[in-house]
């Protein structure tokens, strides 16, 4: 019989929350990600305090931070493969626990063993690197597609807020606690990052296959290259990586080196340095607030325009302008960087095959984190040889022109082959 309607069937499932901020699963993930971000930021600052207290020399600080960077770069690639092979939640757990274990080891080596501190820093970097792509993929599993842009905006706001409030908080704690205790506090933050997030509601496609017959897995190298092949399927993603290379390795590196010099030599005050960096962070917070709600028709073009706005930072430094112009330029650059970052993360979660998402995300982090030290190492000699104005001019031009060229790549207009569905 077909005369018996079932009008109440669609009501059996609860409607999705109106805001991702009301979703307990996301809030747990957000808190864990925030804890990991705060711990990641705090470690170099606390180690800097160790230098001030003469528990660590300047050369030792450089060695420890270099070991941390190497650990991160190696582990971010490994973590991407592991997070696609296994539970993303498990990868977050074990990588964050590794970083948590590294903290007391750093404290134990402080003032006693530089070898132990270097090994512990490499372990901390490895934990940080392995969890980055896993957190990115776990966000896609935890949050419904229509809420991911808001979720990514909330994630980046937490990171920027930690950057803004962190120095004051750490300085206050340092007045009452020694460096070893602060390092143990970093370990507690990593424990929060390890234990607080829950499982995602979805699983990678590879994990959903029936396990009736054991399938022999490909090797690590093969699976990593498979992630690269997946990235190559998306021209907009490759174009975005190219634009990030220009902005990070040239623009960001140039301003990191030039801003302190110009603040000292042109304006004869440290105020410009502090105000510009604060304005950048505040601008990034404002950009995240805007993009949490704004859905531009051509989100890729809007994102690349935001990324290109970083060019105003080196441009302001090469011109003899009032210091408030420099501060305003950094605020614009901060707004623009989040107008790029949030749609970029959201599009990656939407367009990339779910079982390869962590590996593709790891490529993003490798570029973002890996090229910054290279750029910093090359910019200083370039300034000494060519002059600060010439270097800043070249870097500003690259920041404006490379994202503009990337926007012309097929599929770049919408960060996908078709425009994403717009909601609210």
């Amino acid at each position: 019989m077909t005369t018996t309607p079932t009008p109440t069937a669609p009501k059996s499932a609860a409607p999705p929350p109106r805001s991702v901020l009301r979703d307990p699963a996301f809030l747990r993930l957000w808190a864990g990600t925030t804890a990991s971000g705060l711990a990641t930021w705090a470690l170099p600052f606390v180690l800097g305090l160790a230098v001030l207290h003469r528990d660590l020399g300047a050369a030792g600080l450089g060695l420890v931070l270099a070991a941390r960077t190497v650990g991160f770069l190696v582990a971010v690639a490994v973590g991407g493969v592991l997070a696609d092979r296994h539970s993303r939640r498990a990868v977050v757990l074990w990588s964050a626990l590794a970083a948590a274990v590294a903290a007391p080891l750093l404290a134990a080596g402080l003032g006693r063993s530089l070898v132990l501190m270097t090994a512990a820093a490499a372990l901390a970097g490895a934990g940080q690197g392995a969890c980055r792509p896993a957190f990115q993929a776990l966000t896609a599993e935890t949050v419904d597609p229509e809420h991911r842009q808001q979720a990514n905006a909330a994630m980046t706001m937490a990171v920027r807020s930690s950057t803004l409030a962190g120095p004051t908080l750490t300085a206050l704690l340092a007045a009452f606690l020694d460096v070893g205790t602060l390092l143990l506090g970093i370990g507690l933050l990593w424990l929060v990052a390890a234990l607080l997030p829950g499982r995602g509601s979805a699983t990678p496609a590879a994990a959903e296959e029936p396990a009736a017959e054991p399938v022999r897995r490909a090797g690590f190298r093969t699976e990593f290259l498979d992630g690269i092949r997946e990235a190559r399927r998306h021209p907009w993603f490759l174009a975005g990586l190219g634009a990030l290379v220009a902005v990070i390795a040239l623009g960001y590196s140039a301003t990191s080196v030039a801003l302190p010099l110009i603040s000292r030599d042109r304006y004869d005050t440290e105020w410009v340095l502090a105000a510009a960096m604060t304005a950048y962070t505040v601008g990034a917070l404002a950009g995240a607030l805007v993009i949490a709600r704004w859905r531009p028709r051509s989100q890729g073009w809007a994102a690349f325009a935001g990324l290109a706005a970083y060019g105003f930072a080196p441009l302001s430094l090469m011109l003899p302008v009032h210091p408030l112009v420099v501060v305003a330029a950094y605020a614009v650059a901060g707004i623009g960087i989040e107008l790029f970052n949030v749609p970029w993360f959201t599009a990656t979660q939407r367009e990339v095959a779910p079982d390869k998402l962590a590996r593709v995300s790891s490529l993003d982090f490798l570029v973002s984190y890996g090229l910054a030290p290279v750029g910093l190492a090359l910019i200083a000699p370039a300034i000494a040889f060519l002059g600060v104005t010439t270097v800043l001019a070249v870097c500003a031009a690259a920041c404006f022109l490379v994202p503009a060229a990337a926007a012309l790549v097929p599929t770049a207009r919408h960060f996908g082959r078709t425009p994403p569905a717009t909601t609210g």
Side-chain angles (χ1 to χ4, degrees):
M1 298 288 290
T2 58
T3 57
T4 306
T6 56
T8 59
K11 297 181 181 179
S12 59
R18 288 176 294 173
S19 170
V20 72
L21 299 179
R22 299 182 182 180
D23 182 359
F26 171 72
L27 290 177
R28 291 176 62 186
L29 177 63
W30 176 85
T33 306
T34 302
S36 73
L38 186 57
T40 297
W41 172 89
L43 182 57
F45 190 86
V46 172
L47 291 175
L49 292 177
V51 174
L52 293 178
H53 295 168
R54 302 186 185 280
D55 293 322
L56 183 66
L61 175 63
L63 181 62
V64 169
L65 292 180
R68 181 196 187 211
T69 300
V70 171
F72 174 90
L73 293 176
V74 172
V76 74
V78 175
V81 174
L82 292 177
D84 282 338
R85 279 185 175 185
H86 308 290
S87 161
R88 277 83 185 256
R89 177 66 189 89
V91 173
V92 167
L93 172 65
W94 291 109
S95 58
L97 285 177
V101 168
L105 293 178
L106 282 166
L110 189 64
R112 300 181 184 87
S113 173
L114 184 58
V115 173
L116 177 59
M117 291 194 70
T118 302
L123 179 62
Q128 174 196 345
C131 75
R132 287 300 99 194
F135 267 127
Q136 186 75 1
L138 192 57
T139 301
E141 291 185 5
T142 303
V143 181
D144 294 329
E146 61 268 25
H147 292 138
R148 285 178 190 164
Q149 184 153 322
Q150 186 184 36
N152 288 318
M155 293 288 198
T156 196
M157 286 177 64
V159 172
R160 299 298 182 183
S161 298
S162 299
T163 304
L164 192 62
T168 302
L169 177 61
T170 305
L172 288 173
L173 291 174
F176 303 98
L177 303 173
D178 59 25
V179 173
T181 304
L182 291 174
L183 288 171
L184 294 178
I186 291 174
L188 290 177
L189 286 173
W190 278 114
L191 279 178
V192 172
L195 301 176
L196 194 57
R199 281 186 171 273
S201 58
T203 53
E208 294 174 353
E209 295 176 0
E213 294 185 15
V215 179
R216 184 178 180 181
R217 287 194 178 277
F220 169 83
R221 179 175 177 274
T222 300
E223 292 203 3
F224 183 75
L225 292 177
D226 196 28
I228 295 178
R229 283 190 289 270
E230 172 64 21
R232 291 174 60 186
R233 290 183 52 244
H234 306 280
W236 62 269
F237 185 83
L238 297 181
L241 283 182
L244 281 171
V245 169
V247 172
I248 293 172
L250 295 177
Y252 183 80
S253 297
T255 54
S256 296
V257 174
L259 178 59
L261 297 176
I262 289 174
S263 180
R264 180 195 66 191
D265 298 339
R266 181 187 299 167
Y267 301 108
D268 193 27
T269 176
E270 296 177 355
W271 174 85
V272 177
L273 171 62
M277 297 308 298
T278 302
Y280 179 79
T281 303
V282 172
L285 282 168
L289 282 172
V290 169
I291 202 61
R293 294 290 184 182
W294 183 38
R295 302 294 188 272
R297 289 183 179 273
S298 301
Q299 69 168 223
W301 285 359
F304 281 124
L307 185 62
Y310 194 89
F312 288 110
L315 184 64
S316 70
L317 295 178
M318 64 175 287
L319 299 174
V321 296
H322 192 278
L324 289 179
V325 176
V326 176
V327 175
Y330 269 79
V332 170
I335 293 171
I337 205 71
E338 294 307 337
L339 294 183
F340 174 84
N341 279 340
V342 174
W344 169 260
F345 292 144
T346 305
T348 304
Q349 294 161 351
R350 181 185 68 242
E351 298 290 328
V352 171
D355 61 318
K356 299 179 179 68
L357 176 57
R359 277 170 283 178
V360 174
S361 296
S362 72
L363 296 176
D364 181 9
F365 290 115
L366 278 171
V367 170
S368 301
Y369 287 85
L371 290 178
V374 176
L376 288 170
L378 296 178
I379 287 294
I383 289 176
F385 182 71
L386 299 173
V388 65
T389 302
T390 301
V391 171
L392 287 172
V394 171
C395 292
C399 288
F400 288 129
L401 296 177
V402 177
L408 301 178
V409 170
T411 72
R413 178 174 182 177
H414 301 293
F415 277 168
R417 298 189 179 277
T418 56
T422 58
T423 58

